[in-house]
Structure formats: structure tokens, C-alpha cells
Amino acid sequence: METIVDVCLRCLPHLNISYIIAHSADFHASYPMPTIALINGHAFAAGIMTAMMHDYRFMNPHRGFLCLNELEFGASLKAPMSSIFRQKLPNPNTYRTMVLEAKRFNALEALQEGIVDGLGMVPEVLKFIQEMGLVEKAKSGVYGQLKAEMWRETVGYLDDYAGSEKMVEESMRGEERRKERGEKRVEEWEKLKDQKGAKL
């Protein structure tokens, strides 16, 4: 079985953060036993994406924000990145707020919106593991298969990383064409407006 260290070592030659995120995410999204992300401070961009790949998320109730801030630094969301939020967030409005507003969620807001499953640190996580019987969940041998099926859309995008990259490139080219057409229309309108103004 491949470990997270193996995944990171396999990704290093590519020096592409998207590639690294995608392959470590694939590792978590179908890992054959329960995983919990303990968010002990801020989790922005790739940090919150990585946490979302886990089965459960706990957050420090006293400090930190969760934020999908790609909007603020002009990065697009690739298909697997976006997909995991669509699949795991219980409310589409939360997804919209995260992506299109880059809202910073404190711990209580993150819990209320279903981004995290609980608040606390190691003691609370250990209690959660015990209460949920998580140590026993993987014994039947199908836990990873069930997760891969639950998150099929995301796992599919992760498995077809090259296809996802191509889709993003095509989308970016389409956006450039739309921008050029828009600028041309504004230019034409400005000329028409000036011509009409000259006749008056």
C-alpha cells in the first residue's frame, strides 16, 4: 500500500502544486480506513482542500479561519478541487459563499455550515473516534471502496488529472475569448456613441 510519503515523493519531480494536491487528495479520498483532519489554525486554499478530502474534520474553536481564497489571488479552481466541495458541503449556498465571496469562516461558522464535523483539539478528536467506533470501521475491508464510490466524481477527476488540466486550460482560453469579445463590443459601442454625439 502506498503511503502519503510515497505520494509526495512521486509528486516532487513535477513541482506543480496542483499535481501534488490532486495526488495527495486521491490518496485521502479513497484511503481504506477513516481519516480525520485536525485543523489547529488557519486553513486557506490548498489547506482547506486537503482537509475536505478527509472523512471528518475538527477545528480549533479558539483560533483560525477556513477560506477558499482563490478569488483573492486570481487562481481558478480545478475540477477535483471544486468537486470535493460540491460533494461534501451540505448546502450549495455555502459552496457559493466559499468560492465566489472567499468568505473566512471562524470555527463556529464552519461547524454551522457543515464544513467541519466538530470543534476541539486532540482530546475531542480521540473522544469522537471512540464514540463513533472509527477504529473498527475498516475491518471489513471495503471502507476504501465505499469512499471511492461515495466520492466517485472527485476520484474520477483525480484519476484523470491530465484531462482535468486540459479542461481548465480550455476554460481559460474560452474566458480570454469572452473577455476579448466584450472589450470589442464596448469599443464598438463607444465609437457609435461618439458618432451619434457628433451629429447632435
Side-chain angles (χ1 to χ4, degrees):
M1 175 184 290
E2 191 173 42
T3 68
I4 192 68
V5 174
D6 296 327
V7 171
C8 291
L9 290 174
R10 181 166 38 88
C11 296
L12 279 177
H14 300 278
L15 293 177
N16 177 331
I17 191 66
S18 297
Y19 185 86
I20 293 168
I21 291 168
H23 284 80
S24 67
D26 191 20
F27 176 83
H28 287 102
S30 58
Y31 194 69
M33 59 192 308
T35 63
I36 300 176
L38 175 54
I39 305 163
N40 63 356
H42 297 311
F44 281 43
I48 185 60
M49 287 176 208
T50 302
M52 290 302 291
M53 294 294 174
H54 289 272
D55 302 317
Y56 304 96
R57 289 158 299 286
F58 268 69
M59 185 174 178
N60 181 338
H62 305 296
R63 68 175 201 177
F65 291 98
L66 304 182
C67 182
L68 200 57
N69 62 330
E70 276 66 10
L71 176 69
E72 294 176 346
F73 60 88
S76 63
L77 279 178
K78 305 213 172 167
M81 298 171 179
S82 190
S83 161
I84 196 65
F85 289 96
R86 274 196 313 275
Q87 288 195 289
K88 288 196 173 185
L89 290 174
N91 185 339
N93 291 334
T94 304
Y95 173 65
R96 179 197 62 208
T97 301
M98 289 184 85
V99 174
L100 298 180
E101 298 171 24
K103 177 178 169 55
R104 295 173 185 206
F105 293 86
N106 65 31
L108 187 56
E109 291 169 328
L111 181 64
Q112 291 167 342
E113 294 294 333
I115 302 168
V116 298
D117 300 287
L119 303 180
M121 295 301 287
V122 173
E124 290 79 13
V125 170
L126 292 175
K127 182 179 178 189
F128 178 78
I129 291 169
Q130 185 178 16
E131 287 174 354
M132 297 291 290
L134 294 183
V135 173
E136 306 297 314
K137 299 294 184 199
K139 287 189 175 178
S140 67
V142 297
Y143 198 86
Q145 293 169 353
L146 294 171
K147 283 168 55 170
E149 176 55 31
M150 272 177 66
W151 314 125
R152 183 193 314 183
E153 175 189 330
T154 299
V155 171
Y157 284 132
L158 291 167
D159 287 345
D160 184 21
Y161 178 77
S164 295
E165 285 290 294
K166 185 177 179 185
M167 192 168 66
V168 169
E169 289 170 13
E170 288 172 5
S171 174
M172 289 172 70
R173 280 194 296 273
E175 186 61 33
E176 284 299 315
R177 287 191 298 271
R178 282 189 290 278
K179 187 176 176 183
E180 287 169 10
R181 284 194 305 267
E183 288 171 356
K184 186 176 178 182
R185 287 183 186 135
V186 168
E187 205 175 281
E188 290 170 357
W189 180 80
E190 290 285 341
K191 283 181 187 176
L192 186 61
K193 185 177 90 170
D194 289 343
Q195 289 172 356
K196 287 184 178 181
K199 290 178 183 177
L200 296 174

